[in-house]
Amino acid sequence: MNYAFYDSHARALAPLRGQAEWLAALMRGVGFDGSPSLRRMMAGLDLFASVRTTHRRPSFGLERVTMGDRDVAVQEEAVLTTPFGTLLRFRKDDPARQPPLLLVAPMSGHFATLLRQTAETLLPDFDLHVTDWHNGRDVPLSAGGFGFDDFVEHVMKFVRAMGQGVHLLAVCQPSVAVLAAAALMHEDRDPLRPRSVTLMAGPIDTRLNPTRVNRLASSKPMAWFEKNLISTVPFGSRGAGRRVYPGVTQLSAFMSLNIARHIAAHETYFRNLAGGEREAAEAHRRFYDEYFAVMDLPAEFYLETVERVFQTHDLPSGTLRYRGRPVQPRAIRRMGLMTVEGEKDDICGIGQTMAALDLCSSLPTTMRAHHLQTGVGHYGVFAGKRWQNEIYPRVRAMMQGYQ
């Protein structure tokens, strides 16, 4: 992708999209939506304004939570901040102490807010913290690089900042780094090592039941990925000059897997707008505002992840190293470990996450658990009704056993 061309094109269209959005809102505000032809015009303006990527992190919007029969206020609090990420706490206006939980979000082209539903489900029961990764496009070159080992280091640093008794829950891509961090902390007998780790739809061993995504990641030499997928942040952004894997490239790859579904969704969005079905249109708008908000990954992290996780399979083959030090999951001897997979996951195949249970061979079998959720794909593992009603109760019960 020519990042400079994409960026200049997006900047040129931004004022036009803003004017289209403003005009549609104005027409709606003065009552022009009574005419079918004018509603179609407004729908076209709205569609033009909304089909665009942004690089701004959306809001979590978790301002209140229901705990029993009480409605409790919630405030976001930055516990620790580095150039590449913030340990974000959702502090409740309630004196009761709850077990600390770190939700480790993927650094894979979207912001941590993509896990809003996951966080919302966890919030009533835990002192919830989230890894709020920063957009590589906004990190100045003076901050240095950020590779796979830096991700592992951030997980350990964030766990220590939270104090004792932390539970870790990793969604998708960070599962390898989270298990590595837990192994290192347990080997060092760190007093702040995690009490439990839950890995959800994560690529622990992608040699098992490889998906289309896995095969693509292993089908090309690393030089191809660097030449074709890595770009330089253009002038005008705080991270100008930084080499990144653009979030818009990742978004395009994901959309191409189900392009017909996305086209149909936008056709339905247009019809809902033109037909005055505002509630359905607003639900679509909220989803795609989140989906089209993209973040760039530091090139080092992306390339090292492709190589170590998807090509050389360092963790399951026993060759993973952290700053030259061997990572040994068998060093984990007392910790709750749970893996969760989706029956219809087309990104992380069945068995890939469960492989973590065999790697942690020193853990008693009573401390290892697995759940295969029927009827869900990748996103259904951590969002939606089956996550809330069938998966989460099992995850919560496991964590409650290690307080």
Side-chain angles (χ1 to χ4, degrees), residues 69-339:
D69 58 354
R70 293 174 297 131
D71 188 44
V72 178
V74 178
Q75 291 184 335
E76 293 184 13
E77 175 183 84
V79 177
L80 179 65
T81 299
T82 77
F84 292 94
T86 295
L87 174 59
L88 185 67
R89 180 191 182 196
F90 293 91
R91 182 171 58 82
K92 303 184 187 77
D93 187 16
D94 187 290
R97 187 186 182 281
Q98 293 181 301
L101 168 63
L102 177 59
L103 175 59
V104 185
M107 184 183 275
S108 59
H110 284 100
F111 293 92
T113 52
L114 193 67
L115 301 184
R116 183 182 293 103
Q117 285 191 37
T118 319
E120 187 175 22
T121 303
L122 297 165
L123 189 55
D125 301 310
F126 294 94
D127 181 7
L128 181 63
H129 296 62
V130 175
T131 56
D132 193 11
W133 303 115
H134 299 169
N135 194 342
R137 171 189 173 100
D138 298 327
V139 182
L141 280 175
S142 59
F146 185 92
F148 181 87
D149 287 356
D150 297 295
F151 193 107
V152 175
E153 182 181 23
H154 271 64
V155 172
M156 294 191 290
K157 185 182 296 185
F158 287 172
V159 168
R160 293 180 182 123
M162 291 170 63
Q164 290 188 332
V166 173
H167 300 275
L168 279 170
L169 191 155
V171 175
C172 192
Q173 168 245 37
S175 293
V176 173
V178 164
L179 188 59
L184 292 165
M185 295 182 76
H186 276 262
E187 185 174 17
D188 291 343
R189 298 185 181 276
D190 191 317
L192 300 180
R193 59 190 180 271
R195 292 272 177 88
S196 78
V197 169
T198 302
L199 308 176
M200 303 182 67
I204 297 296
D205 190 348
T206 60
R207 297 172 299 183
L208 306 172
N209 296 317
T211 64
R212 178 181 172 186
V213 174
N214 302 152
R215 288 191 290 270
L216 174 62
S218 61
S219 65
K220 307 285 186 183
M222 288 306 303
W224 182 92
F225 286 93
E226 186 164 8
K227 178 181 178 181
N228 292 279
L229 299 182
I230 301 302
S231 299
T232 301
V233 178
F235 178 78
S237 298
R238 282 177 291 174
R242 178 175 293 280
R243 298 279 286 168
V244 296
Y245 173 61
V248 69
T249 301
Q250 179 79 330
L251 175 67
S252 300
F254 277 141
M255 291 190 69
S256 68
L257 295 174
N258 293 288
I259 189 63
R261 188 184 71 183
H262 290 291
I263 292 173
H266 281 86
E267 290 174 344
T268 301
Y269 175 57
F270 177 86
R271 288 195 298 270
N272 287 335
L273 286 170
E277 300 290 336
R278 293 189 182 180
E279 188 173 340
E282 181 58 28
H284 170 100
R285 182 74 175 258
R286 285 196 303 269
F287 174 82
Y288 278 99
D289 279 351
E290 181 76 54
Y291 197 62
F292 287 157
V294 296
M295 61 174 284
D296 298 345
L297 284 63
E300 310 88 5
F301 174 75
Y302 173 76
L303 293 172
E304 289 172 13
T305 298
V306 170
E307 183 173 23
R308 295 187 187 188
V309 175
F310 296 99
Q311 294 202 353
T312 56
H313 314 285
D314 288 4
L315 182 62
S317 67
T319 60
L320 183 65
R321 289 180 174 269
Y322 166 75
R323 306 208 186 284
R325 174 184 171 183
V327 175
Q328 304 180 77
R330 66 178 180 274
I332 302 174
R333 297 184 179 277
R334 289 197 63 81
M335 180 190 80
L337 176 63
M338 185 173 188
T339 56

